[in-house]
Amino acid sequence: MFSLTSAADSVVAQQAKSARTRVVNLALQGGGSHGAFTWGVLDRLLEGEQIEFEGISGTSAGAMNAVVLADGLVKGGRDAARQALARFWESVASHAPINLPPANLVESPGPGSNGSLSPTLKAFMSLTRNLSPYQLNPLDLNPLRQIVTEQIDFERLRAESELKLFVAATQVRTGKLRLFRTEELSADTLLASSCLPLLHHAIEIDGEAYWDGGYSANPAVFPLFYECVSPDVIIVLLNPLTRSETPHTAEDIRDRVSELGFNSTFLREMRMIAQATEQSEQTLFPVGRLERRLREMNFHVIEAEQLMSRLAVDSKLNAHLPFITMLRDQGRIQAEMWLQGNFPSIGERSSVNLTELFS
């Protein structure tokens, strides 16, 4: 039976929740199996009720995490989202080719502990230097298609999700960024965002071919700026911003060139935002909408630079369960540390200096 007391208790509970809850946007980088680090971050952010999400922009593995999370929220809330993420990554591991288990990266940072592929898988990957996926994989077999088709209800997601999702893909013909929003999402749009051209056939959508979104945005930050209300953006970084050593071997040079290619658009965008913010703060009375928005934006970063800089570049293809479980655990640890140190800054100020980090 409804009572005034129960109604009052409900109002008090809602007020208490709103007092301790912050609404943020997420920008999730791509990085193959390193996306399991982001899984850990999201798992921790979903664990309590401190953080709620308005918009999520993701590329490749970041897009996978974003859409799986959104699908879980639609089906059953925060706990269902956590379960959906776990199920997705465990499925990825179960479909992975056999690889040698890496040593414990936290306790044993010595040789062999960087998650690198086994010699057998390295030999197979070397074939992609001379043979295209249309030759190596003429039927375009992709376990990810089966996983996302079986686990994600795209029709329900498009109809019911309240999240503003932005999934990045790169148009092969023009090199331009294409953002697929919530109402456009499908298995094909998600696979387009993670289509590595040396491993998979291009994904065709409405007559256009698409490759991995990392070539044009990793991830795109501007839609969170222009299309979301919350001024706070948490960027989950997978690619280290610096490398301490100059590569000298042919393999290391190729790896670094590839890494730079996937980082360049993101770094350029963040540098522009940092410079524009700095200039807007020099204006005594901001008149334009852009200047006001720049002043109110708060940026935050969750990353594991030390860990990621130790990982081999080819470890992004290592989906061995112990490896991705380690990454998940490290993501949870970094998210917990960030929450403890920076939660009060949400809605108030940036917890990272963009100029120092990106300019």
Side-chain angles (χ1 to χ4, degrees), residues 22-75:
R22 301 289 186 270
V23 179
V24 304
N25 301 306
L26 297 174
L28 309 180
Q29 276 197 332
S33 64
H34 292 186
F37 174 86
T38 304
W39 165 29
V41 171
L42 298 177
D43 187 68
R44 176 59 189 89
L45 296 183
L46 288 163
E47 194 171 60
E49 294 187 345
Q50 290 176 288
I51 301 289
E52 291 187 354
F53 312 115
E54 179 188 2
I56 308 179
S57 179
T59 296
S60 196
M64 294 285 175
N65 278 316
V67 175
V68 170
L69 180 150
D71 181 63
L73 288 176
V74 167
K75 290 175 178 175

Side-chain angles (χ1 to χ4, degrees), residues 130-143:
N130 299 304
L131 297 173
S132 81
Y134 298 89
Q135 297 168 302
L136 285 173
N137 185 11
L139 298 179
D140 196 24
L141 301 178
N142 186 352

Side-chain angles (χ1 to χ4, degrees), residues 74-345:
V74 167
K75 290 175 178 175
R78 302 172 80 91
D79 287 342
R82 295 180 66 195
Q83 293 168 11
L85 286 164
R87 183 184 174 204
F88 171 78
W89 283 102
E90 288 165 3
S91 296
V92 169
S94 71
H95 285 79
I98 297 174
N99 192 39
L100 296 177
N104 187 304
L105 287 163
V106 178
E107 298 176 0
S108 306
S113 65
N114 62 359
S116 184
L117 297 179
S118 67
T120 301
L121 285 181
K122 280 179 176 288
F124 174 78
M125 290 305 301
S126 67
L127 294 176
T128 63
R129 297 174 189 170
N130 299 304
L131 297 173
S132 81
Y134 298 89
Q135 297 168 302
L136 285 173
N137 185 11
L139 298 179
D140 196 24
L141 301 178
N142 186 352
L144 270 180
R145 180 175 290 278
Q146 178 184 345
I147 293 171
V148 301
T149 301
E150 290 179 352
Q151 296 188 11
I152 301 172
D153 186 341
F154 286 98
E155 183 175 359
R156 183 175 179 182
L157 179 69
R158 292 191 297 267
E160 300 181 22
S161 179
E162 297 180 358
L163 280 176
K164 299 172 183 176
L165 297 172
F166 308 95
V167 169
T170 303
Q171 197 175 74
V172 177
R173 183 174 58 87
T174 65
K176 293 180 179 178
L177 166 67
R178 170 68 192 274
L179 283 180
F180 295 98
R181 291 164 172 77
T182 308
E183 63 275 11
E184 302 172 286
L185 293 178
S186 66
D188 279 341
T189 58
L190 194 52
L191 290 170
S193 182
S194 59
C195 178
L196 293 173
L198 294 181
L199 297 179
H200 302 292
H201 298 199
I203 302 295
E204 288 200 8
I205 301 172
D206 297 330
E208 283 286 357
Y210 292 93
W211 283 343
D212 195 292
Y215 295 110
S216 54
N218 193 22
V221 178
F222 69 87
L224 305 176
F225 182 90
Y226 288 109
E227 300 183 37
C228 295
V229 176
S230 172
D232 288 83
V233 176
I234 298 177
I235 304 170
V236 182
L237 293 179
L238 298 182
N239 298 318
L241 295 176
T242 60
R243 289 287 186 182
S244 58
E245 298 180 358
T246 301
H248 291 98
T249 68
E251 181 179 5
D252 288 345
I253 291 171
R254 279 193 298 269
D255 287 345
R256 184 56 177 156
V257 168
S258 174
E259 190 173 55
L260 290 173
F262 276 93
N263 267 355
S264 60
T265 54
F266 168 72
L267 293 176
R268 188 181 304 116
E269 182 180 12
M270 293 309 300
R271 187 158 49 245
M272 290 175 62
I273 291 174
Q275 292 172 347
T277 300
E278 197 171 31
Q279 290 180 0
S280 72
E281 291 173 348
Q282 296 173 2
T283 304
L284 188 59
F285 299 105
V287 177
R289 177 174 175 268
L290 177 61
E291 290 178 324
R292 293 196 299 271
R293 182 62 172 168
L294 283 167
R295 284 198 177 191
E296 71 179 7
M297 291 297 292
N298 303 314
F299 287 92
H300 316 276
V301 171
I302 299 178
E303 48 84 27
E305 177 93 2
Q306 186 175 5
L307 169 65
M308 294 302 183
S309 63
R310 291 203 330 251
L311 298 180
V313 174
D314 68 9
S315 68
K316 294 178 181 181
L317 300 175
N318 181 358
H320 192 266
L321 185 59
F323 182 61
I324 65 173
T325 300
M326 178 279 298
L327 288 168
R328 177 207 61 194
D329 293 344
Q330 290 301 306
R332 282 187 54 85
I333 290 170
Q334 293 300 321
E336 176 65 34
M337 291 173 58
W338 187 89
L339 284 170
Q340 290 182 9
N342 298 287
F343 180 76
S345 66

Side-chain angles (χ1 to χ4, degrees), residues 6-22:
S6 63
D9 289 344
S10 177
V11 171
V12 170
Q14 287 296 323
Q15 290 175 339
K17 178 182 177 181
S18 63
R20 64 174 184 267
T21 300
R22 301 289 186 270

